[in-house]
C-alpha cells in the first residue's frame, strides 16, 4: 500500500517540483534582469557624462582657456559621481550574468585608466585631441555594448524592445558627441580635411540610423517624447548648424561659431539624456511588474501543487486500500502455494515411486485449489496467470521426476548387466592367473585384473547415481586397515598410495563396508589423478571415539578457494542426475554415498600444497574390535604356525599388487597370526593386513605345498632338538627378569619399618637390538615375479616328496 500511495505522490511531487522550479527560476531571472537593466541605465548615464567630459577635454586641448579648466574639473566631478553609481549597481549584479563574462571586466579596466587620461588632458603634455577622444570613445563603446547585452536571455518582447530603444538613444547621443568633436577639430584646424569630413559624415549617418532604430522600437508614448525633444527653437538652431556643416566641402574653411555649436549640440545631448532616462524608467517599471507577476504566479503554482498533492494522497489512499486488500489475499495464497503446496509436491516427486506419476493429471489436481480468483480485472487476471504458472511448474516438476526416475533405472539396469560381465571377466582372470608361470604375462594379467576392478567400481558408481546401494551384502565387520587397502586396490595408481597411521582397533560395519570402500576409492582416485605422477598420496585413519577421521592428502597444485568451496557444496548437497553429474561422477558419487552413510566429506588445502580430503565416518558405521583381534601376541609361534604363515604370502600394506581384491574376510574366515618384529623400526612400520584363510584349514591335512615347505623348514631346523621346542633369542634373559618383577625381594627395612628394596634390581637388562631398516618400497613388478617363481616351484615339485 505504501508503494501504491507513494508512486502517485512522487509523480505529483515531481511534476510540481519541476513546475515550481521553473517558476522560481523565472522569478530569479526576472530579478536578475531588473538588476542588469538598472546597471544598463547607470551605464547610459555614465556614457552621457563621459561624452560631455570628452567634448570639454577636446575644447580644453584646442583652446586652453582658464575657464575651460574649471569646466573640465566640473565635468570630471560629475563623471566620478556617475562612476560611483555605476559601481554600486555593478556590485549588485548576480554572479554568472551574461554581460559579466566579457563586457564588465573591460569597463572596469577602462574606468581605472580615466585618471591617467585626465592628467594628460590637464597638463596638455604629449596629448592630442584624436588620441584623447579615441580613449573616451572606447570606454563609451563598452558601456553602450553593455546596454545591448542586457537583452540577452530576455523572454518578454516588450521589455527587450524597451531596452534596445534606450540603447538606441545612447547611440544617438554618442553619434552627436562624435560629431561635436569632429567639428571642433575642423574649426580649430581652419579647414575641413577629408578625414574630418569623413568623420562628420559618419557621425551624422550614425545619428540618423540610431534615430530610426529608436523610432522603430519605441512605443507610441516614447515617439511623442522624441518629437517633443526634437521641436522648438533650439532644435531649429541645431538643424541650421548641422546643415551648414554638411554644406562645407573638403578643403574649405568651416565658418562656424564654435561656442554656438557647442551650446546647441550640448542642449540636444541633454534632451536625449532626459528622454533616455524616461525610457529607462518605463522599462524598469515593466521589469518590476513582470517580476511581481512572476512571483505571484510562483506562489499560486505552489499552492496549487500543494492542493493537488493533498487530493492525490487522499484519492490514492482510498484506491490503494482497496487494491492492497485484494493483493494481500492474492499474496498470501501465492505464498502458500509457493512455500507449502508446491514444495510438498516436489518433495513427493523425489520419492522412488515417482516414475508412475502422470504429469498432466497431477498438475490438474494440484491447480484446482491453488488460488481463489476474485474479479475479472487485472488482479483477477494475475491470479489466473499464477494458477497457470503453478500448473506448468507442477507438470514440469513431474516430468523431470519421471525423467530422473527413468534415467536412474537406465543406470541401474546398465550397471547390473555390466557388473555381471565384469564379474565373469574377473573370474576368468583369476583362473588364468592361477595357472600362469611367466612373470611378464602374469604382470599383464594383474594389470587386466586391476582394470576390470576399476570397471566394477564405475558400475557401482552408476548404481549409486541410480539411487540404490552398491548391492553387495557382507556378514562380518572389516577392520579399518583392510578397508583402506581394499579402496587402494580399486584405483589405477594404487602404487602411489601410502598408508600412514591407521588405528586397527576399529572396524567398519558389515552392511556399510562396500559403500565406505567405494567412497574412499573415489577420493584416492582423485588424489592420484590430480597430482604429479612422481608424487605419493598419503592416507591416515584415526579413531576419535565417536567417529573415525580418514584423511587422503596429495601433493598436487591444490584448488583455488572459490573452486574448493564449490566442490564442498557439491559434496554436502549432491545434485540430481544430469549430464554435468555424469561428467563429475566421482565427487557426486562421494556426496551421494556420504549422504547415505551419514558421513561428512570436506576438501581442505594442504599445509604446504595439494589438497586434503577428510572423511568423518560416524559411530553408526563403526564397530570396536576386541583386543585379541588386533593386538600382536608376545607368544612365539610354533614351526607349524610359521609354516602356515609362510604358505600364505602376505602383500605389504604399502603396495597392493595389480588385480588384488579388497582384503575383506569372507564368511567363516579367521585371521592368521602375524609375526612381530620389535624395536623402533617396528613402531614406525605401517600396519599389515591379516591374511584370511578358511576356518577349517587348521584341522585339514597338509597339502603338497605345505609338505615342501615342511621339508625346507626341517632342513633349517635340523640342528635344533624337538619338533615343537620354542626358539631361543637374545631377549630371553630380559623376559625372564621381567617375569620375576611380580615377586619383589625385600633387602631390609627402614627405621620406621617400611620395606627397603635394591635400586634397579628389577630393571630389564639389555634389549633386543633392532636392525635399522628404512621403510622399503616394494615394486609391484618384483612382487609379481616372486609369486611367479613360487608358482613355478610348486608346479615342478618332486613326486617322491608327496609320497613321503
Amino acid at each position: 500500500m505504501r508503494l501504491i500511495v507513494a508512486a502517485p505522490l512522487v509523480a505529483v511531487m515531481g511534476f510540481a517540483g519541476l513546475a515550481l522550479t521553473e517558476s522560481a527560476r523565472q522569478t530569479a531571472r526576472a530579478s536578475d534582469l531588473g538588476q542588469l537593466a538598472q546597471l544598463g541605465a547607470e551605464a547610459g548615464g555614465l556614457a552621457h557624462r563621459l561624452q560631455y567630459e570628452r567634448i570639454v577635454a577636446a575644447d580644453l586641448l584646442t583652446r586652453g582657456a582658464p575657464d575651460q579648466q574649471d569646466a573640465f574639473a566640473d565635468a570630471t566631478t560629475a563623471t566620478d559621481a556617475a562612476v560611483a553609481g555605476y559601481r554600486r549597481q555593478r556590485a549588485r549584479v548576480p554572479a554568472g550574468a551574461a554581460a559579466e563574462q566579457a563586457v564588465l571586466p573591460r569597463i572596469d579596466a577602462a574606468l581605472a585608466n580615466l585618471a591617467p587620461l585626465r592628467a594628460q588632458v590637464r597638463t596638455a603634455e604629449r596629448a592630442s585631441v584624436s588620441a584623447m577622444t579615441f580613449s573616451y570613445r572606447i570606454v563609451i563603446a563598452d558601456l553602450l555594448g553593455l546596454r545591448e547585452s542586457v537583452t540577452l536571455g530576455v523572454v518578454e518582447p516588450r521589455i527587450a524592445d524597451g531596452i534596445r530603444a534606450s540603447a538606441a538613444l545612447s547611440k544617438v547621443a554618442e553619434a552627436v558627441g562624435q560629431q561635436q568633436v569632429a567639428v571642433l577639430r575642423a574649426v580649430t584646424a581652419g579647414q575641413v580635411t577629408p578625414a574630418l569630413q569623413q568623420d562628420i559624415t559618419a557621425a551624422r549617418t550614425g545619428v540618423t540610423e540610431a534615430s530610426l532604430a529608436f523610432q522603430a522600437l519605441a512605443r507610441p508614448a516614447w515617439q511623442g517624447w522624441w518629437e517633443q525633444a526634437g521641436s522648438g527653437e533650439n532644435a531649429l538652431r541645431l538643424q541650421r548648424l548641422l546643415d551648414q556643416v554638411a554644406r562645407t566641402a573638403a578643403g574649405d574653411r568651416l565658418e562656424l561659431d564654435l561656442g554656438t555649436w557647442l551650446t546647441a549640440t550640448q542642449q540636444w545631448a541633454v534632451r536625449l539624456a532626459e528622454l533616455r532616462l524616461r525610457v529607462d524608467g518605463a522599462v524598469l517599471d515593466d521589469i518590476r511588474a513582470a517580476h511581481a507577476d512572476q512571483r505571484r504566479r510562483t506562489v499560486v503554482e505552489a499552492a496549487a501543487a500543494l492542493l493537488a498533492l493533498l487530493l492525490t494522497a487522499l484519492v490514492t489512499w482510498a484506491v490503494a486500500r482497496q487494491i492492497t486488500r485484494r493483493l494481500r489475499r492474492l499474496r498470501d495464497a501465492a505464498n502458500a502455494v509457493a512455500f507449502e503446496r508446491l514444495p510438498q509436491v516436489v518433495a513427493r516427486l523425489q520419492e522412488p515411486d515417482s516414475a508412475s506419476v502422470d504429469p498432466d493429471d497431477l498438475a490438474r489436481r494440484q491447480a484446482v485449489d491453488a488460488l481463489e480468483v476474485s474479479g475479472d480485472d487485472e488482479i483477477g487476471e494475475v491470479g489466473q496467470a499464477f494458477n497457470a504458472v503453478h500448473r506448468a511448474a507442477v507438470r514440469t516438476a513431474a516430468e523431470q521426476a519421471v525423467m530422473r526416475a527413468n534415467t536412474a533405472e537406465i543406470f541401474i539396469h546398465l550397471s547390473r548387466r555390466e557388473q555381471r560381465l565384469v564379474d565373469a571377466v574377473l573370474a576368468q582372470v583369476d583362473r588364468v592367473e592361477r595357472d600362469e608361470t611367466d612373470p611378464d604375462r602374469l604382470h599383464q594379467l594383474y594389470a587386466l585384473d586391476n582394470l576390470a576392478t576399476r570397471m566394477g567400481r564405475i558400475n557401482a558408481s552408476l548404481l549409486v547415481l541410480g539411487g540404490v546401494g552398491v548391492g553387495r551384502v557382507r556378514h562380518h565387520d572389516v577392520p579399518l586397515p583392510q578397508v583402506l587397502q581394499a579402496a587402494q586396490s580399486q584405483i589405477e595408481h594404487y602404487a602411489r598410495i601410502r598408508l600412514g597411521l591407521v588405528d586397527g582397533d576399529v572396524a567398519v560395519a558389515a552392511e556399510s563396508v562396500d559403500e565406505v570402500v567405494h567412497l574412499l576409492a573415489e577420493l584416492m582416485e582423485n588424489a592420484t589423478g590430480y597430482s604429479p605422477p612422481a608424487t605419493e598420496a598419503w592416507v591416515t585413519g584415526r579413531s576419535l571415539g565417536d567417529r573415525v577421521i580418514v584423511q587422503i592428502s596429495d601433493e598436487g597444485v591444490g584448488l583455488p578457494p572459490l573452486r574448493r568451496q564449490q566442490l564442498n557444496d557439491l559434496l554436502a548437497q549432491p545434485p540430481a542426475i544430469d549430464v554435468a553429474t555424469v561428467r563429475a561422477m566421482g565427487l557426486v558419487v562421494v556426496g551421494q554415498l556420504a549422504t547415505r552413510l551419514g558421513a561428512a566429506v570436506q576438501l581442505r588445502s594442504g599445509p604446504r600444497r595439494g589438497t586434503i580430503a577428510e572423511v568423518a565416518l560416524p559411530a553408526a558405521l563403526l564397530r570396536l574390535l576386541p583386543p585379541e583381534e588386533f593386538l600382536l601376541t608376545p607368544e612365539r609361534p610354533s614351526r607349524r604356525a610359521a609354516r602356515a604363515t609362510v604358505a600364505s604370502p602376505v602383500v605389504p600394506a604399502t603396495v597392493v599388487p595389480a588385480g588384488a581384491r579388497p582384503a575383506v574376510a569372507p564368511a567363516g574366515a579367521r585371521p592368521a597370526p602375524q609375526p612381530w618384529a620389535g624395536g623402533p623400526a617396528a613402531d614406525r612400520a605401517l600396519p599389515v593386513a591379516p591374511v584370511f584363510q578358511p576356518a577349517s584349514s587348521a584341522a585339514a591335512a597338509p597339502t603338497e605345498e605345505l609338505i615342501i615347505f615342511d621339508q625346507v623348514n626341517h632342513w633349517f631346523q635340523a640342528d635344533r632338538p624337538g619338533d615343537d621346542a620354542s626358539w631361543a633369542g637374545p631377549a630371553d634373559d630380559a623376559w625372564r627378569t621381567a617375569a620375576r618383577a611380580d615377586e619383589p625381594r625385600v633387602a631390609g627395612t627402614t627405621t620406621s619399618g617400611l620395606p627397603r628394596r635394591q635400586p634397579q634390581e628389577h630393571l630389564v637388562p639389555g634389549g633386543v637390538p633392532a636392525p635399522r631398516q628404512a621403510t622399503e618400497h616394494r615394486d609391484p613388478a618384483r612382487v609379481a615375479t616372486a609369486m611367479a617363481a613360487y608358482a613355478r616351484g610348486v608346479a615342478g615339485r618332486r613326486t617322491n616328496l608327496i609320497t613321503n
Side-chain angles (χ1 to χ4, degrees):
M1 179 176 180
R2 291 192 296 269
L3 181 60
I4 298 176
V5 175
L9 291 180
V10 170
V12 172
M13 291 178 63
F15 287 114
L18 291 176
L20 292 177
T21 301
E22 183 62 26
S23 298
R25 187 181 298 111
Q26 292 293 340
T27 303
R29 188 177 301 169
S31 177
D32 296 342
L33 179 60
Q35 297 294 336
L36 287 174
Q38 185 63 41
L39 182 63
E42 295 291 339
L46 179 57
H48 172 67
R49 291 300 177 184
L50 288 173
Q51 290 166 0
Y52 178 69
E53 181 179 338
R54 179 180 57 187
I55 190 60
V56 173
D59 189 23
L60 177 61
L61 289 176
T62 53
R63 295 188 293 177
D67 56 344
Q68 293 171 343
Q69 287 282 355
D70 296 335
F72 183 72
D74 294 339
T76 56
T77 301
T79 302
D80 290 340
V83 169
Y86 168 81
R87 285 177 175 171
R88 285 193 300 271
Q89 186 60 32
R90 164 78 168 81
R92 299 190 185 100
V93 174
E100 186 183 359
Q101 302 299 326
V103 180
L104 293 181
R106 290 202 307 268
I107 295 176
D108 294 339
L111 293 180
N113 293 328
L114 283 179
L117 180 61
R118 292 169 176 174
Q120 292 180 5
V121 172
R122 290 190 183 96
T123 58
E125 293 180 358
R126 298 180 301 278
S128 63
V129 177
S130 60
M132 180 273 300
T133 57
F134 181 78
S135 299
Y136 279 100
R137 185 175 180 180
I138 294 298
V139 181
I140 295 171
D142 288 337
L143 291 172
L144 297 182
L146 174 61
R147 300 213 65 188
E148 292 182 346
S149 65
V150 173
T151 60
L152 297 177
V154 178
V155 180
E156 183 63 33
R158 179 182 175 86
I159 296 176
D161 292 342
I163 295 174
R164 293 190 185 96
S166 178
L169 289 177
S170 297
K171 290 183 178 180
V172 173
E174 173 61 14
V176 172
Q178 293 178 8
Q179 194 173 14
Q180 281 180 325
V181 175
V183 171
L184 178 62
R185 292 175 58 193
V187 172
T188 305
Q191 64 175 353
V192 179
T193 62
L196 290 175
Q197 187 180 30
Q198 185 177 1
D199 292 342
I200 293 171
T201 303
R204 185 166 185 149
T205 303
V207 171
T208 303
E209 293 177 353
S211 300
L212 293 175
F214 171 76
Q215 293 177 5
L217 296 171
R219 302 169 190 174
W222 299 353
Q223 292 179 359
W225 297 344
W226 171 265
E227 291 176 358
Q228 291 177 4
S231 61
E233 185 179 354
N234 293 330
L236 293 176
R237 187 184 305 111
L238 177 61
Q239 186 61 41
R240 287 194 295 269
L241 292 175
L242 291 174
D243 293 340
Q244 183 180 353
V245 172
R247 289 192 300 267
T248 304
D252 295 343
R253 182 181 179 82
L254 181 59
E255 299 294 340
L256 186 67
D257 183 47
L258 191 57
T260 304
W261 166 257
L262 292 177
T263 301
T265 54
Q266 188 60 35
Q267 289 177 353
W268 174 240
V270 170
R271 288 194 298 272
L272 288 176
E274 292 174 353
L275 178 58
R276 177 186 52 79
L277 288 175
R278 296 177 69 180
V279 172
D280 287 341
V283 172
L284 290 175
D285 291 339
D286 292 341
I287 292 175
R288 294 189 189 97
H291 182 213
D293 292 340
Q294 185 62 42
R295 187 165 50 192
R296 286 192 299 270
R297 188 180 300 112
T298 302
V299 173
V300 172
E301 289 180 357
L306 181 60
L307 180 60
L309 190 63
L310 292 176
L311 292 176
T312 303
L314 292 176
V315 174
T316 305
W317 179 81
V319 175
R321 185 178 180 183
Q322 182 181 4
I323 294 176
T324 51
R325 287 180 178 177
R326 298 179 61 190
L327 288 177
R328 285 195 183 100
R329 291 196 296 267
L330 183 62
R331 179 200 61 189
D332 295 339
N335 287 335
V337 170
F339 298 105
E340 295 178 7
R341 299 178 186 176
L342 187 59
Q344 291 174 1
V345 173
V346 174
R348 287 198 299 269
L349 291 175
Q350 300 295 331
E351 297 176 358
D353 58 348
S354 59
S356 60
V357 174
D358 185 2
D360 294 331
D361 181 66
L362 180 62
R364 185 169 51 257
R365 287 188 286 104
Q366 291 294 326
V368 171
D369 299 328
L371 288 180
E372 180 181 356
V373 180
S374 60
D376 56 353
D377 55 357
E378 288 79 3
I379 299 179
E381 293 176 356
V382 171
Q384 295 175 1
F386 190 85
N387 285 336
V389 171
H390 177 62
R391 287 194 299 270
V394 173
R395 183 185 301 108
T396 303
E399 292 174 353
Q400 293 292 328
V402 171
M403 183 177 63
R404 286 194 301 269
N406 293 336
T407 304
E409 288 294 331
I410 292 173
F411 282 175
I412 293 172
H413 290 298
L414 290 178
S415 176
R416 288 174 176 172
R417 290 186 179 184
E418 190 70 20
Q419 188 61 41
R420 286 195 292 268
L421 296 177
V422 171
D423 291 340
V425 170
L426 288 174
Q428 186 66 29
V429 170
D430 287 341
R431 287 192 294 270
V432 175
E433 287 177 352
R434 194 176 300 114
D435 299 332
E436 185 59 51
T437 59
D438 183 34
D440 296 334
R441 191 171 300 170
L442 188 62
H443 179 69
Q444 295 176 358
L445 291 174
Y446 288 161
L448 182 61
D449 195 343
N450 179 258
L451 182 61
T453 303
R454 287 157 47 203
M455 291 176 62
R457 179 167 57 85
I458 294 177
N459 293 330
S461 297
L462 293 178
L463 288 176
V464 173
L465 293 179
V468 299
V470 176
R472 186 174 299 172
V473 179
R474 298 192 180 274
H475 303 285
H476 296 279
D477 304 333
V478 180
L480 180 61
Q482 297 183 37
V483 171
L484 297 179
Q485 293 178 21
Q488 178 185 4
S489 68
Q490 293 186 6
I491 67 173
E492 178 180 4
H493 304 288
Y494 58 87
R496 291 168 51 197
I497 296 294
R498 295 290 179 267
L499 297 182
L501 295 176
V502 179
D503 291 341
D505 59 345
V506 64
V508 178
E511 64 272 9
S512 304
V513 168
D514 290 301
E515 292 182 345
V516 173
V517 169
H518 193 176
L519 185 148
L520 296 175
E522 293 291 347
L523 294 176
M524 291 181 185
E525 185 74 33
N526 282 345
T528 56
Y530 293 98
S531 59
T535 61
E536 297 175 343
W538 284 86
V539 181
T540 60
R542 305 306 304 271
S543 175
L544 300 182
D546 61 338
R547 64 188 183 277
V548 167
I549 302 298
V550 178
Q551 289 187 343
I552 303 171
S553 58
D554 58 59
E555 297 182 4
V557 296
L559 293 171
L562 179 59
R563 179 57 178 166
R564 185 169 60 250
Q565 183 61 39
Q566 293 175 350
L567 295 179
N568 284 329
D569 295 340
L570 183 143
L571 291 171
Q573 296 180 350
I577 300 175
D578 55 7
V579 178
T581 302
V582 178
R583 290 177 180 174
M585 185 169 59
L587 291 181
V588 175
V589 170
V590 170
Q592 295 282 1
L593 289 174
T595 303
R596 290 171 57 88
L597 297 172
V601 182
Q602 186 178 17
L603 301 179
R604 297 188 290 105
S605 60
R608 292 177 298 179
R609 61 177 181 176
T611 303
I612 297 177
E614 184 175 280
V615 182
L617 300 177
L621 305 179
L622 306 175
R623 300 290 185 271
L624 293 179
L625 295 177
E628 60 271 11
E629 293 190 19
F630 66 90
L631 292 180
L632 296 176
T633 176
E635 296 179 359
R636 304 299 189 272
S638 63
R639 282 183 295 177
R640 181 175 298 279
R643 287 197 301 270
T645 303
V646 173
S648 300
V650 179
V651 179
T654 55
V655 179
V656 179
R661 230 76 75 230
V664 179
R670 60 177 178 83
Q674 300 296 317
W676 173 260
D683 294 336
R684 294 191 302 271
L686 302 180
V688 179
V691 177
F692 288 88
Q693 297 177 346
S696 59
S697 62
T703 61
E704 298 176 357
E705 291 83 356
L706 293 180
I707 295 175
I708 295 173
F709 282 96
D710 183 69
Q711 294 294 331
V712 175
N713 189 53
H714 175 71
W715 295 339
F716 285 101
Q717 302 293 334
D719 56 343
R720 297 185 181 272
D723 182 57
D724 292 328
S726 299
W727 295 346
D732 291 343
D733 294 338
W735 283 106
R736 285 190 292 271
T737 304
R740 293 194 302 270
D742 57 349
E743 299 176 358
R745 185 177 57 183
V746 180
T749 59
T750 62
T751 57
S752 59
L754 296 176
R756 178 182 297 169
R757 297 175 181 176
Q758 185 69 26
Q760 299 183 355
E761 179 181 8
H762 301 292
L763 187 66
V764 177
V768 179
R772 296 184 179 180
Q773 296 178 355
T775 302
E776 181 182 359
H777 173 69
R778 297 187 178 183
D779 187 2
R782 296 180 59 185
V783 174
T785 303
M787 295 182 67
Y790 164 71
R792 286 196 302 271
V794 172
R797 62 189 180 276
R798 291 181 294 176
T799 56
N800 58 348
L801 293 178
I802 300 177
T803 57
N804 289 339

